[in-house]
Amino acid sequence: MMKFAAIAALMGSAAAFAPAPVAKTSSAMNAFTAADLPGALAPMGFFDPLGFAEKADEKTLKRYREAEVTHGRVAMLAVIGFLVGEAVEGSSFLFDAQISGPAITHFTQVPDGWDALIVTFIGAAEAQRAQIGWVDPADASYDQPGLLRDEYYPGDIGFDPLGLRPEDPEELNLMITKE
């Protein structure tokens, strides 16, 4: 039962990786402005109390959205990891069930060598994301570091193994808003 719960929780989190819209399928992509971003909900509307969006051009706004989506997805996975780590403590097949205690201490209990493997996988995922979304630094001017590709929509790395991405642009904007 515990394995089923863990698998169900992980499958439910797969929606966090459903790609955002691309320019060809969504009207929200054509003009990347603060007013057109999915995510504005009543009663607050577009929430930017410090005025970052007012001071940002289109490229800067895209970088802000990329950071927001990426960090939001990492946070969602971290919550799932903490909950699963607490739920399977002492009963996991990994590492002979030696990892115990609060979930915040689990990573430090991982046997030597595994942390390097984990960091390598994270680095490979980040490199792949950079290849998809960012302009090669050699091709960008020195005054535009971290320039995103024109055709890239923040968060759309093309990862949708469960086929959760809706075809309808309105449904897609609704899904992005929920994310």
Side-chain angles (χ1 to χ4, degrees), residues 138-171:
D139 298 334
S141 65
Y142 71 93
D143 62 341
Q144 292 182 328
L147 185 62
L148 292 174
R149 297 180 191 275
D150 289 333
E151 69 277 2
Y152 176 70
Y153 185 82
D156 186 5
I157 56 174
F159 184 77
D160 186 19
L162 299 178
L164 299 174
R165 180 182 182 160
E167 295 295 325
D168 180 42
E170 291 302 316
E171 288 181 31

Side-chain angles (χ1 to χ4, degrees), residues 11 20-21 44 46 60 92 95 98 109 118 132 135:
M11 287 180 62
M44 298 301 293
F46 182 75
T60 303
S92 174
F95 312 118
Q98 295 175 358
Q109 297 177 45
I118 292 168
I132 293 170
V135 172

Side-chain angles (χ1 to χ4, degrees), residues 31-128:
F32 203 89
T33 63
D36 297 330
L37 288 175
L41 297 173
M44 298 301 293
F46 182 75
F47 186 72
D48 184 21
L50 299 178
F52 288 120
E54 295 171 6
K55 303 170 191 166
D57 62 356
E58 179 181 344
K59 292 178 181 183
T60 303
L61 194 59
K62 281 179 78 170
R63 281 200 325 266
Y64 289 166
R65 178 48 74 107
E66 175 69 20
E68 177 186 16
V69 169
T70 300
H71 290 102
R73 289 174 178 171
V74 169
M76 287 186 275
L77 285 175
V79 168
I80 296 293
F82 267 68
L83 295 175
V84 170
E86 291 284 341
V88 300
E89 176 190 354
S91 64
S92 174
F93 63 91
L94 295 173
F95 312 118
D96 297 325
Q98 295 175 358
I99 296 177
S100 62
I104 193 75
T105 66
H106 287 185
F107 188 72
T108 59
Q109 297 177 45
V110 173
D112 291 337
W114 283 94
D115 53 352
L117 184 65
I118 292 168
V119 169
T120 301
F121 280 124
I122 291 170
E126 287 294 322
Q128 179 67 21

